[in-house]
Amino acid sequence: NAGVMQNPRHLVRRRGQEARLRCSPMKGHSHVYWYRQLPEEGLKFMVYLQKENIIDESGMPKERFSAEFPKEGPSILRIQQVVRGDSAAYFCASSPLWGKNTEAFFGQGTRLTVV
Amino acid sequence: AQRVTQPEKLLSVFKGAPVELKCNYSYSGSPELFWYVQYSRQRLQLLLRHISRESIKGFTADLNKGETSFHLKKPFAQEEDSAMYYCALSGGSNYKLTFGKGTLLTVNP
């Protein structure tokens, strides 16, 4: 089991472009979580998705950000019209159905730099 | 609101010395507390969680509700313990983790 796979590992975008970050969960996991880590900060929850459903997007910025987890394929975090403040590390985690002793497994993250 | 505070950004000790990484939290209910570790060039991984009361790689952490703390301790640090350590909390929506800013531990030979 290769673990949670995120790509690309590094992404450079110019202001105004779109960024698409991909996350393939661990085999057998149907729940995905996205976190953002701004420089010098801890990871902050963005969104929780199951296959074809957004369960909790309370941490997503209201504009320009969207996430999906289709029936087939990876979860995608999409940032439209990126700005310098979007530069951060974006981490994805996956788990089976969340319960008392569930562990979320993290990917290695995508480092987005907006120039 | 829930908050996790790790007061030390950097911590440096010598091999064999005791180490304590501090974590304080703020949460009105009954939280679940975690320690995550990120070794150089590796992914974030769960080290331990308070409900399991385990000792992992010699590390222990006790939840002190009176002091709202969950400090991570190891009696004899090893060089391979050098890593970034994050304390995290989950509350009512227990899938949603709140992380501290992390402490970079360096164990010198």
Side-chain angles (χ1 to χ4, degrees), chain A residues 71-82:
Chain A
K71 188 176 180 182
E72 302 291 338
S75 176
I76 306 286
L77 179 67
R78 183 181 177 208
I79 312 171
Q80 295 178 290
Q81 300 174 331
V82 295

Side-chain angles (χ1 to χ4, degrees), chain A residues 3 12 14 16 19 29 31 40 67 70 72 81 94 97 106 113:
Chain A
V12 179
R14 295 188 186 279
H29 288 185
H31 298 248
E40 307 290 316
E72 302 291 338
Q81 300 174 331
S94 74
L97 179 64
F106 282 82
T113 302

